[in-house]
Every structure is written in C-alpha cells, then in structure tokens.
Amino acid sequence: MAGSRSGLTYAEAGVDIDAGNRMVDLIKPLVRATARRGADAEIGGFGGLFDLKRAGFKDPVLVAATDGVGTKVKIAIETGRHDTIGIDLVAMSVNDLVVQGAEPLFFLDYFACGKLSPELGAAVVKGVSDGCKLANCALIGGETAEMPGLYHGADYDLAGFAVGAAERGEILPRSDIAAGDVLIGLASSGVHSNGYSLVRKVVERSGLKWSAAAPFALGQTLGEAVLTPTRIYVTSCLAAIRDTGAVKALCHITGGGFPDNIPRVLPDGMGARLDLARVPMLPVFKWLARTGGIAQNEMLRTFNCGVGMIAVVAADNAGKVMASFKASGEQPFVLGTVVTQGQGERVSYDGALDLAG
C-alpha cells in the first residue's frame, strides 16, 4: 500500500546535518579569535569577505597558495591527537606565501571525513585557528564534508587555502640575486609536514608503538614527538623583509628538500653550494636515518633536515638580516652561498650531515 513504507533519510545514508551544525557552533569562537584588520572573521554566509583597503594596501598583488599535510594526518588519527595538525595545515600555505614577499591575509580550510564527530572536527579547527593567529591571518571560511563510503572509520583529510598580498614591485624573489650572495638558514621545529610516508615506514621497522617513549625526545611519546607542528615563519620573515630591505629571496624547504626547492628561487645560471656540516641536524632526523638506514642523499631530498626556511641576501647585508631574524626568535645561521652554475647539479655540497648519535 502506497505510503506504508517510510522513506530513507540523509542520516540513514550516513550524513548527519545536525552534527555539522553542532560543529559550526563549536568553531565559531575559534574563527572569531582570528579576526584581523580587513576581516571580521565571522562564518555562516556563503562566502568570506576581506577588505584590502582596510588592510592598508595601496597597489596590491594577490598571492594564493594551497596545500595539505600529507600522511602526517594518519598519525594524528592513530594517536587520537588532533589539536595541532591544523597548525601544520596553515603553515604549509602561509610559509609559501611569505617566500613571495606576501603578507598572509585570510585562510579557508576543507575537512573531509566518513563520519563527522563535531568535537574531533572542532579540535582540528582549533589548530587551524592557532596557526592563523601565529600568521596574523583571518580564518574566514571553510567546508566540512561528511562522505561515508569514501572515507572509512575514523579517517579524515585536510586541505588549506591561503591568500596574501604584496605591494606591486615588492614581490620576491628579486632579480638581483648574484654569485657570492649568502644563504641564511632558519632552524625547523622538526619533520614539519613532508616525508611522513617514510617516517611511518621507519616507525614500522622500529617496532615501536606511537605510545612508546620517543628515543630522541625526552619526556614525549613517539607520536607526540613526530606530530610537533610545522614552524610558521611569517612574522620573522616579514620583519626581515620590511626592516632591512635586504632580503632578495626566501625558500620554504618542503618536499624535495634542498635540491628541489632552492633552485626555484634562483635565476637561470645560478646554483647554490651548501656546507652540510652547518646543518643543525635535530635528533629526530638522526634517529630516522639510523633506524631506517637512510642514505644522506635520500635524507636531503626527503626531509628539511633541520632547515625550514632559507633567505638569500648580499654578503654585506647578512649581519643585519640575521640580527632581525634573531630579534624575532629565529635561530639563523649561514648555510652556504650562491654560485655560478657549473655542469653538475644546481645544488652542491661541502662536508656531510651529522647523522651520528
């Protein structure tokens, strides 16, 4: 008989609209906490607004970046620690903006899962909010997608989208990069957000659980240690650019390490020569290399090895640029120089990484 059978609902198909609304309520104060000049950081509309004029720009060029956090998110899921992965998400995009000389203005996130837990989603967005505050970047919107059948169990994934601006004529890299310029390295906080498929393989080989004591970090579990958030370099790099006027280029060391990333900011015919003995190898990288039997060249192309950002400056300006970075809380060091490219690779090395210990 027609009408005797009740129809299916969206909830029975695995999508809970009410849970999505609860998550929005939970994250509203987190979004509001990222408000900055140019954005009121409220959510609920169909799009986010940003006022460039209120932000103080006169003749701006917009710069956009997007990224994720790779399989680092798998470790967050397996350890149940979701409150810092959002910092990584913000860092991967805003660090790419600042290397263009751009000030990050606003950020949007995309959170996809199989079954939405409003509390878990809010924990992730708290990390996004924390990252945005570190970058002085407004979180003006995002999307939560519940997709049963595509994601299974507790799995979820993240993507981030950042937009920044720089005044016309102030975009980096500059055109005057020349042989003899100095490469200044800025220390990383750890593995950041690249190479985690290899990290997970090494941990599997070690036989350690994420809850085990980290062999390289006193007082932390292995999971806590490898989830150390990506360092956000926005404040220190913008200060160095604006205060010294001497930064010719910046290079964010992500997947591909030194050999793939440094050439991206150098003009044709220029290369870099690095002194690997000056690389501040963090204990986590020594443990990964030793436990996984990872060769030096593989380490250099997979991980940041302790260097998260590189600035290119003229040799006679290196002192004041390093002083600016130190004043912002960075740990700068001279890593190498720009050289005229020879017949070999564009990035060459002296010395060796300190993989002992």
Side-chain angles (χ1 to χ4, degrees), residues 63-69 88-97 107-110 158-163 252 264:
V63 184
T66 183
D67 210 335
V69 294
D88 293 290
L89 185 68
V90 174
M92 294 305 290
S93 285
V94 298
N95 285 343
D96 280 353
L97 291 185
F107 189 86
L108 299 98
D109 68 291
Y110 175 79
L158 303 170
F161 312 87
V163 174
H252 186 198
R264 297 168 68 181

Side-chain angles (χ1 to χ4, degrees), residues 156-206:
Y156 65 85
D157 199 10
L158 303 170
F161 312 87
V163 174
E167 295 291 355
R168 196 176 303 276
E170 297 180 3
I171 299 291
L172 297 181
R174 285 171 19 185
S175 61
D176 60 342
I177 296 172
D181 285 347
V182 172
L183 301 176
I184 297 172
L186 301 182
S188 70
S189 58
V191 185
H192 284 185
S193 296
N194 297 102
Y196 273 85
S197 293
L198 183 53
V199 170
R200 291 169 57 241
K201 198 72 175 176
V202 171
V203 170
E204 180 184 332
R205 173 179 285 193
S206 76

Side-chain angles (χ1 to χ4, degrees), residues 5-338:
R5 233 175 121 182
S6 59
L8 287 170
T9 66
Y10 208 8
E12 289 173 318
V15 179
D16 189 341
I17 295 175
D18 291 334
N21 291 334
R22 288 198 302 274
M23 179 173 162
V24 171
D25 289 338
L26 288 172
I27 68 175
K28 277 185 176 180
L30 302 173
V31 173
R32 197 173 296 121
T34 69
R36 54 152 293 162
R37 190 172 57 169
D40 60 14
E42 287 290 340
I43 58 171
F46 288 92
L49 304 178
F50 193 93
D51 187 338
L52 278 169
K53 187 175 181 180
R54 277 184 57 206
F57 288 92
K58 298 178 177 64
D59 186 19
V61 175
L62 294 178
V63 184
T66 183
D67 210 335
V69 294
T71 57
K72 188 172 187 176
V73 75
K74 189 69 174 173
I75 301 173
I77 294 166
E78 291 173 354
T79 60
R81 299 181 63 88
H82 309 286
D83 57 337
T84 61
I85 199 74
I87 299 176
D88 293 290
L89 185 68
V90 174
M92 294 305 290
S93 285
V94 298
N95 285 343
D96 280 353
L97 291 185
V98 78
V99 302
Q100 306 279 167
E103 174 187 342
L105 301 176
F106 59 86
F107 189 86
L108 299 98
D109 68 291
Y110 175 79
F111 176 87
C113 61
K115 179 65 176 177
L116 179 61
S117 162
E119 290 73 24
L120 185 154
V124 172
V125 176
K126 181 187 182 300
V128 175
S129 174
D130 290 343
C132 285
K133 286 186 283 187
L134 288 170
N136 191 29
C137 180
L139 178 58
I140 65 170
E143 170 69 4
T144 301
E146 190 175 17
M147 296 184 285
L150 184 59
Y151 295 91
H152 301 283
D155 284 350
Y156 65 85
D157 199 10
L158 303 170
F161 312 87
V163 174
E167 295 291 355
R168 196 176 303 276
E170 297 180 3
I171 299 291
L172 297 181
R174 285 171 19 185
S175 61
D176 60 342
I177 296 172
D181 285 347
V182 172
L183 301 176
I184 297 172
L186 301 182
S188 70
S189 58
V191 185
H192 284 185
S193 296
N194 297 102
Y196 273 85
S197 293
L198 183 53
V199 170
R200 291 169 57 241
K201 198 72 175 176
V202 171
V203 170
E204 180 184 332
R205 173 179 285 193
S206 76
L208 294 174
K209 303 292 186 182
W210 294 121
S211 57
F216 51 85
L218 186 65
Q220 288 187 299
T221 66
L222 181 58
E224 289 170 341
V226 299
L227 284 174
T228 298
T230 305
R231 187 167 180 83
I232 292 177
Y233 298 96
V234 169
T235 299
S236 59
C237 286
L238 287 178
I241 292 168
R242 293 166 177 173
D243 295 346
T244 71
V247 177
K248 295 185 178 184
L250 292 165
C251 179
H252 186 198
I253 305 303
T254 56
F258 297 148
D260 286 0
N261 285 295
I262 295 175
R264 297 168 68 181
V265 304
L266 299 178
D268 291 343
M270 292 287 108
R273 190 160 191 87
L274 309 183
D275 183 354
L276 295 182
R278 296 183 179 182
V279 174
M281 290 290 291
L282 299 173
V284 61
F285 294 115
K286 295 182 181 183
W287 182 79
L288 288 168
R290 182 177 67 253
T291 306
I294 306 171
Q296 175 173 282
N297 284 348
E298 189 68 20
M299 291 293 296
L300 289 168
R301 195 166 190 184
T302 304
F303 301 115
N304 66 63
C305 291
V307 184
M309 185 73 74
I310 293 174
V312 182
V313 304
D316 55 0
N317 288 327
K320 66 179 181 181
V321 173
M322 290 181 72
S324 175
F325 280 129
K326 287 178 182 177
S328 296
E330 300 292 355
Q331 301 173 48
F333 50 92
V334 175
L335 179 61
T337 58
V338 176

